[in-house]
Amino acid sequence: MHVRVYVTPKHGILDPQGVAVERSLPALGFDGVSGVRVGKFIELQIDLADGTPADQARSEIDEMCRKLLANPIIEDYTFTVDQA
Amino acid sequence: MHVRVYVTPKHGILDPQGVAVERSLPALGFDGVSGVRVGKFIELQIDLADGTPADQARSEIDEMCRKLLANPIIEDYTFTVDQA
């Protein structure tokens, strides 16, 4: 199954990349942009044993996010699973 | 409007972060994971003048991606626009 993970800095946590982007945009001629947050977008393919229940797959992916893909202290994450 | 930009390394371009993640997962007990690609997920709010046509908004966001948010030589990008 194809998994897409979206990691974003938690609200209230300083996001230096987002600040840098937001400050650069007016100089490039883009006005009216606010609230820029830069996070991570991770795609992966996971092959589980045939007949693995969907919630077991989701809980395994969730654990993968907590342990490696995101830092749950300063980041939020969501993911989508595509059976294809 | 709320914009979400997804930036991914182009196919065939080495993705060292993805390789690092893929190599770390088995040591954490996650098997069967392949094709890990790590990109960026950017959220921003853009306030355009009232009555700006949707395709003008999209072309402005596209230009923003090409000029600052992504590196079109080594990265692909897509974005979604939410009117809210």
Side-chain angles (χ1 to χ4, degrees):
Chain A
M1 53 187 75
H2 190 80
V3 180
R4 290 180 182 84
V5 181
Y6 309 90
V7 180
T8 47
K10 270 187 203 286
H11 277 284
I13 295 280
L14 180 67
D15 172 20
Q17 274 194 87
V19 172
V21 167
E22 198 163 321
R23 287 192 188 156
S24 304
L25 286 168
L28 293 169
F30 302 104
D31 294 309
V33 178
S34 61
V36 183
R37 308 288 282 170
V38 179
K40 281 184 292 185
F41 173 51
I42 302 150
E43 287 185 292
L44 55 90
Q45 196 69 30
I46 182 165
D47 294 312
L48 297 173
D50 281 351
T52 303
D55 17 326
Q56 193 189 318
R58 293 191 70 84
S59 97
E60 188 156 326
I61 297 161
D62 191 78
E63 197 184 341
M64 211 181 279
C65 291
R66 276 183 289 114
K67 284 193 174 167
L68 183 68
L69 304 178
N71 176 349
I73 298 171
I74 57 168
E75 292 171 328
D76 289 322
Y77 61 87
T78 57
F79 60 85
T80 61
V81 179
D82 191 343
Q83 294 302 327
Chain B
M1 53 187 73
H2 190 81
V3 180
R4 289 180 182 84
V5 182
Y6 309 90
V7 180
T8 47
K10 271 188 204 284
H11 277 284
I13 295 279
L14 180 68
D15 172 19
Q17 274 193 87
V19 172
V21 167
E22 198 164 319
R23 286 192 188 156
S24 305
L25 286 168
L28 293 169
F30 302 104
D31 294 310
V33 178
S34 61
V36 182
R37 308 289 282 171
V38 179
K40 281 183 293 183
F41 172 51
I42 302 150
E43 288 185 292
L44 56 89
Q45 196 69 31
I46 182 164
D47 294 312
L48 297 173
D50 282 348
T52 303
D55 17 325
Q56 193 188 317
R58 291 192 70 85
S59 97
E60 187 155 327
I61 297 161
D62 192 77
E63 197 184 342
M64 211 180 281
C65 290
R66 276 184 289 113
K67 287 193 172 167
L68 183 68
L69 303 179
N71 176 349
I73 297 170
I74 56 167
E75 292 171 326
D76 289 322
Y77 61 87
T78 57
F79 60 85
T80 61
V81 179
D82 191 344
Q83 294 302 326

